[in-house]
């Protein structure tokens, strides 16, 4: 009987060790994939089109001898690049830091297209932006998509709205625009082969899927999809990104 108990205990121990090895291997695979996706995210946030256009804008202000605008644009551009590089060192960043990144990006694009769109960022007072941690560099691809493919083709002034709300242990960020909509944008892209199509949204989808697998938490992206007005016409696009608060993430990762 003792031998049988020892054999059973040995078998259980072997099974547990095997499960532990499998779990560690899986974590290493996840970490490797996450590192690759983080690098892709950085490349997407600082894509050659954005940097080329930003430098052209600085040159434009210099040629006009508009030193104030040139300095303002250059300062915001440098801060955004630094934030992107700093955030590439970690999977997560504070929501306050990410909101500052959003404001920098929107202000740069608004300086380039002052008569094309306005923007607003609304944060629920219940959200503690300094303690809430979110995946870094998550939102620029959606803002870029809204501005370039939704609003710039408009013949009127467009608007981009970013709204941050808290739902229990989940934070939801909605990015909404009143542009031409997905279907019309797709048609225009088909007619213009050289137009830049942001790849960051697919990278983000992969990141969110990986975070969900790693933590078993409520990471989710819904959209972008078309908004419709009462007459069922296109009225822009919306995307909603859901992620757990820092405490929920840490709890899942440490379990």
């Amino acid at each position: 009987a003792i031998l049988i108990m020892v054999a059973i205990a040995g078998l259980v121990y072997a099974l547990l060790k095997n499960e532990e090895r499998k779990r560690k291997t899986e974590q290493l695979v996840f970490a490797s994939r996450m590192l690759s996706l983080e690098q892709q995210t950085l490349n997407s946030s600082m894509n050659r089109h954005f940097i080329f256009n930003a430098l052209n804008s600085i040159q434009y202000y210099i040629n006009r001898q508009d030193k104030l605008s040139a300095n303002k644009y250059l300062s915001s551009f440098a801060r955004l690049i630094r934030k992107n590089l700093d955030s590439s060192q970690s999977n997560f960043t504070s929501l306050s830091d990410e909101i500052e990144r959003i404001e920098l990006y929107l202000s740069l694009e608004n300086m380039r297209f002052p008569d094309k769109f306005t923007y607003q960022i609304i944060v629920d007072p219940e959200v503690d932006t300094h303690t809430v941690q979110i995946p870094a560099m998550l939102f620029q691809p959606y803002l870029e998509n809204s501005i370039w493919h939704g609003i710039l083709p408009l013949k009127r002034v467009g608007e981009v709205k970013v709204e941050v709300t808290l739902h229990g242990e989940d934070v939801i960020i909605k990015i909404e625009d009143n542009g031409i909509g997905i279907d019309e944008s797709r048609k225009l892209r088909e007619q213009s082969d050289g137009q830049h199509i942001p790849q960051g949204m697919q990278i983000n989808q992969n990141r969110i899927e990986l975070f969900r697998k790693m933590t078993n938490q409520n990471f989710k992206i819904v959209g972008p999809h078309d908004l419709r007005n009462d007459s069922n016409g296109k009225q822009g696009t919306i995307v909603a990104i859901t992620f757990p608060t820092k405490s929920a993430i840490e709890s899942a990762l440490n379990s």
Side-chain angles (χ1 to χ4, degrees), residues 20 24 27 35 45 48 51 78 81 102 147 164 186 189 201 210 247:
E20 184 181 357
K24 288 183 177 179
Q27 287 177 338
L35 182 62
S45 296
R48 64 185 185 279
I51 292 177
I81 295 297
I102 289 173
I147 294 169
V164 183
R186 187 177 294 116
R189 286 202 298 265
M201 289 190 293
L210 191 54
S247 57

Side-chain angles (χ1 to χ4, degrees), residues 27-41:
Q27 287 177 338
L28 287 173
V29 171
F30 280 152
S32 177
R33 289 179 59 194
M34 184 59 66
L35 182 62
S36 174
L37 288 170
E38 294 298 334
Q39 184 60 51
Q40 291 178 49
T41 300

Side-chain angles (χ1 to χ4, degrees), residues 20 70-71 97 113 126 160 200 227 232 241 243 251-252:
E20 184 181 357
N71 286 333
D97 194 59
F113 308 108
E126 293 186 9
V160 177
L227 292 169
N232 208 35
I241 306 169
F243 47 87
S251 174

Side-chain angles (χ1 to χ4, degrees), residues 138-139 141-143 145-146 161-163 172-177 182 201 204-205 220-227 236-242:
L138 197 65
F139 307 115
Y142 303 104
L143 297 169
N145 190 60
S146 287
K161 181 170 72 172
V162 180
E163 188 173 11
I172 299 178
I173 290 190
K174 294 181 180 178
I175 298 174
E176 181 179 334
D177 68 73
I182 294 173
M201 289 190 293
N204 278 344
Q205 192 68 53
K220 181 170 60 176
I221 298 178
V222 178
H225 58 73
D226 281 324
L227 292 169
T237 61
I238 186 170
V239 59
I241 306 169
T242 301

Side-chain angles (χ1 to χ4, degrees), residues 152-171:
L152 291 186
L154 286 175
K155 296 180 179 177
R156 54 179 169 80
V157 177
E159 180 184 32
V160 177
K161 181 170 72 172
V162 180
E163 188 173 11
V164 183
T165 55
L166 183 65
H167 294 261
E169 286 196 330
D170 291 336
V171 177

